[in-house]
Amino acid sequence: MSAHPLATDAGIEILNKGGNAFDAAVAVTATLAVVEPYSSGIGGGGFWLLHIKRDSRDVMLDGRERAPLAATSDMYLDENNDVVPGASIDGPLSAGIPGVPAAMAHLSSRYGALPLSVSLAPAIKYASNGFTTDEHYRRMAELRVQALNASADAARIFLRNKKAPEPGSLIIQDDLAATLNLIASKGARGFYQGALAERMVKAVVSQGGIWSMEDLASYRVVEREPVRARYKGMQVVSAAPPSSGGVALVQMLNMLSKFDYSALADAQRVHVLAEVMRRAYRDRAEFLGDNDFIDVPVRQLTSTQHATMLANSIQLDAVTASAALAPVTTDTNKAKDTTHFSIIDGEGNRVSATLSINYPFGSGFVATGTGVLLNDEMDDFSSKPGEPNIYGLVGAKANAIEPGKRMLSSMTPTFLETKDRIAILGTPGGSRIITMVLLGALAFHEGGDAEQMVNSGRFHHQYLPDKIFTEPDVFSMQLQDKLSAFGHEIEILDSDYGNMHIIVQHKKNGQLDAAADRRGGGKARIAP
Ligand code: GLY
């Protein structure tokens, strides 16, 4: 199941051809790149959490973008040491080195049952024949119309007369089809070396970017040990650094385990959740980054001792101001993008994948003649300590820009397991991803089905700004009054957020229960 019906259909097509969950994951990844260009793409990156049934093994495939080798810690600062607005968001200077093509090739060759050319065929078809846009596409394109118009190829492909296309428009991507065909025939080499790579580097450099051929040739996916924990009988397997998702999720669950959470009254539940979120996001800001470059104290952060120390400062009837934990403050409530899909096959192999090009339509820049829309994931670095990124997230030295380093992510593809059920979940949503997965995990732990997990109301605290953000109509007036009395500031957002996709399997009979988020246009399908 995925965020777009055509991508879900592509996965089913590949399963029906004899592919396993990993082949289907390649097909869904590539098709999302074509039909959901505002969320992910072969010019972007992601994390694929895999359960390999044969070996009873979980692994996280890290296809996160890397900073170009010419990147510097102050590359987005002006002569006054101020962040240049938009520099890490628009155009090719904001683009990290993509990981999706290498990850697809690795998934296929290492774990798949079918050739890459077969798994990529549905995406190539949708790129060549086109797909029809909807209202969501129009809104995303409208948001990024300026950045897309700055790139001749992007404007030609994704806009109509320099404007966001009306729903029902046909988007044909011939150059992208040719690029996917090259990957289908040559594997990762087709993307990272040779004529296509030369074209991308030339286009990027001509528009102020800093990619080199060496950047592309040296890109590697990494297999990483996922983060694991147990919460009151539920096993949790989630994303490792350079995502902050698994660590923060485990920290929050560990803190919660110090409370009789299920027995708390409504206002206290929200309050305690906000307090554990606050503390986990504070640690995120200070400690999380690319483990290959800095020493992320994963074991310490996810230990019960650390959770006890943090939880001990939580009062049941009063906030701990974020300022009491650390300085710096900011605000943001802008759009964000990314995508998630979940797959399970007949053998029991599982994939939970969250992919991104960061802001809608990434950097807005398409490398001339390649159809590759580049990410703007460099904004996920901390351009300046304490300075918020587009999600309002602050960071420190741990997530400073360094050549070849992966930028910190919030993507949280996750597996949950209780004695009788398994869940595969994740969602887009920028900094709110981790708290959405937390709320989904708690709903699962309390016996909720897939529908209840994806569709319950959402709220979020991320340490800074010091307030609880909530979807409209989630908190009653009475609840708001009680939370205010505890000292919380509450911001009711204009709209709902997230696009979670969950599969739940009952262990006893293998029965599946799946749900696509009511907030998105995705689709769940079970192969016949
Ligand atoms: N670009 C969003 C994230 O990785 O968290």
Side-chain angles (χ1 to χ4, degrees), residues 277-278 281 391-393 431 460-465 467 469:
M277 290 172 183
R278 177 200 309 278
Y281 275 76
Y391 306 113
L393 290 167
S431 58
H460 170 78
H461 196 297
Q462 63 177 43
Y463 161 60
L464 293 173
K467 51 171 107 169
F469 295 94

Side-chain angles (χ1 to χ4, degrees), residues 64 338 356 358 377 380 391 409-411:
R64 182 68 163 165
T338 294
S356 183
N358 202 28
E377 220 76 61
D380 276 347
Y391 306 113
S409 172
S410 299
M411 294 189 282

